[in-house]
Structures are given as structure tokens and as C-alpha cells.
Amino acid sequence: MHPLPVPKKHVSWQTWGYHWRSSDTFILSSMSMALFTDEMLFAFMVPLLPYIFENRLELDTSLTQRLTSLFLVEGALISIISSPFVGNIADRASSKKVLLLVLLVLTLISVLCLSITTSLTWLLIGRFFQCIVSNALFIVGMATMTENIGSEHMGKIAGLSTTIVAAGTCSGPVIAGFLFGIGGYWTAWAGAALFLVVDIIMRLLMIEKPQKRRETACQDRNSSESLCAEEQTPSSETEPLLDAGQSSSTEEIGGWSFYVCLFRQRRFTAGVTCYFVFALFIACFESTIAMHVRYAFGWGVFPVGLLFASIQGPGMVLAPLVGYLKDRVGSRVPTTIGFLSVAPFLWFLGVAGDERFPWATLGTRGKIIYAVCTTMIGCFMCLLMGVGTMEATATVDELEDLHPGVFGPYGGYSRAISITNMSWMSGLLVGPILAGFMVERFGYFELQCVLVVISLLASANAAFYLRPTSPRKGECNTSEFGTDEEL
């Protein structure tokens, strides 16, 4: 009567370094390194492209700018298209560790192919596969952190990932340029390969310990004290998963039905929409600031770089703090305040340097107003970080708590995060199109007025539909999602 399961600590003695290899710190370090390398490699080729096009491919210099734009747009489009397929595959994998190892090896192969190619066709094909693998690394990496650390820490995870992604994006061109300068073309690519080798080693050492496996969710449902068995008050916040006459024994939802199910949850849709608007703002700034300040103030490359640093810098510093705040109070209040606070500074951004507003153009007043506004926008946009991933993982958690196994034995984190990734990339794609159209047809001030309206609408969306508080792990918030019979 005594043959009990082997205690976890005994397993740890049998596995070398189990405690530190499965610790939250090592898992976060491994995934952080993976995300950093992923973003660094995505931007790594930007300073190398002129050399590749003109020296290795021997193309005319007049084509360099056009091909560079095509190269970058290709990445955004592929990320949007591939995200749902990547998420579906990732959620069917029993071990994220093995999938991550495969993706890292594929990334190493794609880097090798990109470095040795001397054909434009093969360069674009190599970029195609690199973008798919890079997108998969981001989705699987975020899902791995959520599964192993716990979605109740999603705010801190999102804050950490925001800092890492920004650091990788900013350092990629710097590292490539530095290595190219000291050792040439092959030294630069060798540096990229070294990052991947370190990633692979860390992934081999990491031991998964997912805390939110779907097959164990609400396993005490059959007891009288089950969290998910109590009767709850019906709510109209969430659309039903199941028809009224259908059995309460939940069947797995897969394929496109999974995405339909998620989008029927208002808070998920609201989070994805806020994430799209956040990316739209970033893309509009990136595509218009350089040209506008050169025309309005006569500023060159260095001041433009400082303006971008004033927008992106606060996020790198404040993102972990904002993530901690959102874990405590939820997404609704910070995101609503963020959009409301950004709106007036967007308007002043359009006013500064516009001759229709003489009070904002006298002397250096326009330059000061513009610089202050970009800094304040950078500070307040920190409150928007992670809203998509937080709402996505919380929605999956709460539906799984109410209907164990509804999204399969390994859950739906990867598929949910893939949707937020699609919304982000869509914002980055739509932003330059909107900005270019508005500036060319109407003007920079008119563009900022449109962004103000979008920001106010996004704040209303956040105030009405985002989560007011952040539920703790193990809590089944059935008052929001309804009971089995209701779903």
C-alpha cells in the first residue's frame, strides 16, 4: 500500500544539474537568449545588404534601395502569413525543447545559405525560409516561457521580451557593422553563427517543467471543493463555445475553429486590436520622422537617431516595471491610460514646425516641442507593451480551466501568441502605407490628427473590453467565461 510515485527531488538527483537546468532563471535566460538572437539576426543583414547586392551579386547600385525595401517587406509579409501555421504545429508538439532545437538548427542552415549565395533568387529564397524560422522561434519561445514560468507572470514575461526584442533589433546592425569593419564579410557571418551555437547549447541543457499542462488543468473537478465545479452567475461578456443543447463534455477544438473561438472572446479581440494599433504607431513614426524633421527643422542623421532613441529607449528601461504592474492590476487601466496620454502629444507632434501654427514655430520652440513630444510618447507607450500576449494567454488559460482539454493535450498558447504576432506585423505593414498616403495627400499634421482619433478609439476599446484585473494561476474566472452549460 506504499508504492507511491517517485518524488520529484529523487528525479532531480538522477538528472545532472536538474535544479539549475529546470530553474526559472535558466529557462528565462535560455529563452531570452533565443529571442535576442532571433531579433538580432532579423536585423543583422541590413548594413550588409549594400555590400551583398553590389559586390557579391554584382547588381547596379541604383537597385540597392529598391531591393533593400523588398527584402524588408518580404519579412513582414511572411511573418503574417506563416504565424497561424507555426502556432498550430507548435501546439501539437509534446516538447517545445525539441522543436526549439530543430528551429535553431534550421536557422543556422539558413544563415549559412544566405552567407554563401551569389544569386538574387536564392537570396530571396533564403530570406523566405529565414523569416519563417525566425517567426517560429519567437512564437515557440514566448509559448515556452508562458508554459514553464506561468501565465500569471505574463506581464513580466512580456516586459522582459520587449526589452530583449528592442535590444536585439538595435544591436543587430551594430554587431554586423562592427564585425564587418574589423574582419570583413565572413567574420560578420561567423559572429552570427556563434550566437546560434551558444543558443543550441543552452537549449540542450534546459529541462522543461511546464506548470500549465492542459491534461492536468482543474484535475480536482470531481471533488466537492473543485474550483471549476461551482455554479456561477451567467455572463454576457463571452460568446459561447458550445451550442446550448450540446453535451458539457468538451471536445477538442482545432483547425480554424480554434481561431474563431478566440475571436469570439471580446477581451482577446480587444487585446489583439490594441496590439495592432501600438505597432501602427511605431511604423508611422519610423516611416515619417526622418523626412519630416529634415523638411521642418533641417535636422540630419544624428538628431533623427536621438529622436528614435527617445521613442524606443523608455520602453527598454520601463518595460519590466510595466509588466510587473500589469501582472498586479491587469491590462485595462494601464493600456487605457497609455492611449489617452499619447493622444495629445501626437497632436502637438503635428503642430510643431507647422507654419499654420506660428506659436509653435518661433525660434527653436518647434524643435523643443517636437523633441519633448517624442520623449513623452516613448514613455507613455510603455503602458501598451505586452497587451496582446497577456490577453491571449489569459483567454486560453481561463477557457482551459473551464473546459480542460478543449485546445488539445498541449494547450493553445502557441496558436494564441501567433495571432498577436500577426496583429503586430500587420500594424508594421499598414503603418507605412497609411503614413505615406496621408502625408502625400494631406500633410504631416493631418496624419497626426488621424493617429489621435485612432488612439482615442483604442483607449475606449481597452476601457470597455480588456481585463480589469490579472487572475492568479489556478483561478477559474467563470464569471467572465460562463459555465460548461453556458459555453
Side-chain angles (χ1 to χ4, degrees), residues 19 21 30 70 76 108 115 119 165 179 190 203 206 219 241 256 266 296 325 347 392 408 416 454 466:
H19 289 297
R21 291 170 62 188
S30 299
L70 174 63
L108 188 60
S115 65
S119 164
V165 166
L179 293 175
R203 219 65 62 250
M206 189 184 80
Q219 54 185 306
L241 278 175
W256 293 108
R266 296 182 195 175
L325 172 67
W347 187 81
I454 293 174
L466 292 186

Side-chain angles (χ1 to χ4, degrees), residues 245-284:
Q246 196 169 342
S247 171
S248 62
S249 58
T250 309
E251 296 182 0
E252 179 180 344
I253 295 178
W256 293 108
S257 298
F258 172 87
Y259 302 107
V260 173
C261 168
L262 284 188
F263 276 106
R264 290 173 70 180
Q265 317 307 320
R266 296 182 195 175
R267 289 175 175 173
F268 174 83
T269 305
V272 168
T273 303
C274 290
Y275 215 41
F276 170 83
V277 174
F278 183 19
L280 181 78
F281 286 171
I282 296 293
C284 285

Side-chain angles (χ1 to χ4, degrees), residues 23-33 145 149 157 160:
S23 66
D24 289 353
T25 301
F26 188 74
I27 291 173
L28 280 175
S29 300
S30 299
M31 293 300 98
S32 297
M33 184 64 182
M145 284 195 287
I149 307 302
I157 292 173
L160 176 65

Side-chain angles (χ1 to χ4, degrees), residues 78-79 82 86 103 127-137:
I78 291 170
S79 295
S82 64
V86 169
L103 290 172
R127 178 64 169 180
F128 174 83
F129 287 106
Q130 184 204 23
C131 290
I132 291 178
V133 175
S134 174
N135 192 36
L137 271 174

